[in-house]
Amino acid sequence: MDQPFLMFHRPSLDHEEEQSVLEALRSGWLTTGPKTKAFEREFADYVGAPYAVGVNSCTAALHIALIAAGVQPGDEVITSPITFASTANVIVHAGAKPVFVDVEPDTLNMDVSQLESAITERTRAIIPVHFAGHPCDMDPILDIANRHSLTVIEDAAHAIESAYKGRKIGSLSPMTAFSFYATKNITTGEGGMITCQDAGLAEQLAVLSLHGISKDAWKRYTAAGYQHWDIIAPGFKYNMFDLQAAIGLCQLRKVERFWQRRKQISQIYDQAFGELEEICILSCKPYARSAYHLYTLQIQPERAGLMRDEMLDALQQRGIGVGVHFRAVHLHPYYREAFGFRRGMFPIAEQASDQILSIPLYPAMTDEDVQRVVSTVKAIIND
Ligand SMILES: *Cc1c(COP(=O)(O)O)cnc(C)c1O
């Protein structure tokens, strides 16, 4: 009966990543260099974007994307309240005001029908978040952005493998930000990438990611001859470095294999939980290829006879790791106090915020692990 604790997430890393990091270590070139450039190229090819810029997190990617979009103090940027801290925090870092649009109940993505009414003359950009890897309804978002001259920056932290109407996420908007954090679909420990469609913008992002110093500053120590660099913008220290890229190159080659396994596990969960009236699960729209990043259960407290937090405790006590993605950003103390957000403003997001939890979903899970999650959730509900 006493089984080992099943971690909420465990990355899939093996001798290939170990070998690749060793090689990078022994090469003597640790920081941004040939491996970063190779990873950028392969990642851009994978998502079908002409350009990709490696950075040290998705948070950094979103931040410099806002700067490159020309977001200034006093501007407004629209996003979803069901997201991680950084999506909203970077808007504040850019000096702008976060504006939220409520989510749709069946995907927890931004409800596009409410988007246009959130736009004011100060709105500058929209950050759609592809929650759990299910893509947002991008055609109307891009159309509305176009009509109001707004820049779309996608938060694709969950969405490396996602596609919308057959088009890969990363190839659609001016800029798309990805994460390689330890729990994401592929990992470099910490890391991120921005894809974009325009050479000038890619250049600007690369400059912003490395102190704002001029083109190819990372080459300044090579045999090509000494080159002076110029500061052309007050940039950031956000560059990806080669030890990260060494891991990322290996991970990227396995991305579709990992995706297949998570899809399989998601389907087992769908079958197990789809019929239960105590729990709601999210749906997959006809236009979507999901990345299956998270598996979300939404507890119906009256029917289940327990609250979400009781479910979290019960699962942990029975040896199953859990997560909450996410409690609505606008209800966190900073956002309430700084911007006056309160409960009642985004009812669908608030209900989800109180009721959702995430169960383990990763390729290193065995079939027995998956069955154990299913039977434990069911046992708690039937208790
Ligand atoms: C993880 C995450 C981020 C931040 O990614 P980092 O690489 O850790 O900066 C941003 N947005 C969402 C939705 C995330 O889940």
Side-chain angles (χ1 to χ4, degrees):
M1 184 66 217
D2 250 15
Q3 291 165 292
F5 192 84
L6 178 66
M7 304 260 282
F8 174 67
H9 183 80
R10 192 150 50 84
S12 290
L13 300 161
D14 59 31
H15 60 277
E16 287 169 29
E17 284 81 1
E18 289 172 15
Q19 199 51 45
S20 183
V21 171
L22 260 184
E23 222 180 81
L25 273 174
R26 288 173 179 159
S27 78
W29 192 287
L30 303 182
T31 186
T32 309
K35 290 215 184 281
T36 302
K37 298 297 134 190
F39 185 36
E40 289 173 342
R41 186 68 265 136
E42 289 192 23
F43 192 86
D45 289 345
Y46 174 70
V47 303
Y51 305 98
V53 178
V55 286
N56 59 16
S57 71
C58 180
T59 307
L62 290 167
H63 185 198
I64 57 176
L66 287 171
I67 308 272
V71 171
Q72 308 250 343
D75 288 344
E76 294 176 0
V77 176
I78 298 174
T79 191
S80 158
I82 298 293
T83 188
F84 185 57
S86 52
T87 323
N89 286 348
V90 293
I91 297 171
V92 180
H93 294 163
K97 182 184 161 200
V99 172
F100 297 107
V101 167
D102 207 354
V103 295
E104 45 181 29
D106 53 343
T107 63
L108 304 183
N109 280 335
M110 176 183 286
D111 181 350
V112 178
S113 72
Q114 300 186 43
L115 175 57
E116 207 147 15
S117 60
I119 296 172
T120 72
E121 69 270 22
R122 299 191 145 184
T123 309
R124 196 73 186 219
I126 306 169
I127 309 183
V129 180
H130 306 300
F131 179 75
H134 185 296
C136 295
D137 195 359
M138 289 308 298
D139 277 345
I141 292 174
L142 289 165
D143 175 57
I144 291 168
N146 215 14
R147 278 192 279 112
H148 294 267
S149 305
L150 309 175
T151 305
V152 175
I153 300 163
E154 294 172 58
D155 181 338
H158 301 175
I160 293 172
E161 308 89 338
S162 307
Y164 173 75
K165 297 186 179 170
R167 289 126 71 201
K168 289 276 299 153
I169 294 302
S171 69
L172 301 175
S173 297
M175 290 176 273
T176 305
F178 295 90
S179 175
F180 311 124
Y181 181 66
T183 57
K184 297 300 190 330
N185 295 351
I186 63 171
T187 186
T188 60
E190 300 277 1
M193 190 79 78
I194 321 172
T195 59
C196 65
Q197 322 303 324
D198 177 88
L201 190 52
E203 173 65 29
Q204 191 187 352
L205 291 164
V207 166
L208 282 170
S209 76
L210 193 63
H211 308 292
I213 61 185
S214 51
K215 191 171 158 52
D216 287 341
W218 63 273
K219 286 185 188 157
R220 68 189 182 277
Y221 300 114
T222 64
Y226 192 84
Q227 271 190 304
H228 285 294
W229 46 266
D230 294 317
I231 306 164
I232 58 176
F236 303 89
K237 175 63 183 177
Y238 283 170
N239 56 304
M240 174 176 277
F241 69 115
D242 271 23
L243 296 186
Q244 287 172 303
I247 304 172
L249 282 162
C250 298
Q251 289 270 295
L252 187 58
R253 285 166 200 153
K254 305 174 193 172
V255 66
E256 286 290 315
R257 202 179 347 129
F258 292 165
W259 176 82
Q260 284 290 352
R261 177 62 178 153
R262 288 196 313 278
K263 179 180 180 185
Q264 205 174 46
I265 298 170
S266 291
Q267 286 170 340
I268 295 170
Y269 285 157
D270 282 347
Q271 287 219 320
F273 302 127
E275 306 282 87
L276 300 182
E277 56 173 26
E278 295 90 347
I279 288 172
C280 284
I281 58 172
L282 300 181
S283 50
C284 193
K285 305 268 192 187
Y287 55 70
R289 185 209 208 222
S290 177
Y292 304 105
H293 173 61
L294 297 170
Y295 199 92
T296 305
L297 300 179
Q298 186 159 355
I299 306 297
Q300 306 301 110
E302 319 79 46
R303 293 186 179 152
L306 86 173
M307 307 289 280
R308 186 266 316 274
D309 288 1
E310 296 172 300
M311 184 61 140
L312 290 172
D313 284 343
L315 280 166
Q316 292 265 149
Q317 271 158 17
R318 295 178 197 217
I320 309 282
V322 286
V324 176
H325 306 88
F326 299 96
R327 285 160 60 230
V329 174
H330 72 285
L331 297 180
H332 284 264
Y334 170 75
Y335 284 93
R336 285 174 186 262
E337 284 155 29
F339 300 100
F341 293 116
R342 2 169 256 295
R343 199 170 267 276
M345 287 178 149
F346 311 105
I348 307 291
E350 288 159 17
Q351 188 167 48
S353 178
D354 293 340
Q355 297 181 340
I356 54 179
L357 66 110
S358 310
I359 55 176
L361 175 65
Y362 51 95
M365 291 174 78
T366 64
D367 291 345
E368 293 70 44
D369 292 334
V370 178
Q371 285 314 320
R372 189 176 153 207
V373 175
V374 168
S375 57
T376 310
V377 169
K378 286 186 169 173
I380 293 167
I381 282 173
N382 293 325
D383 243 9

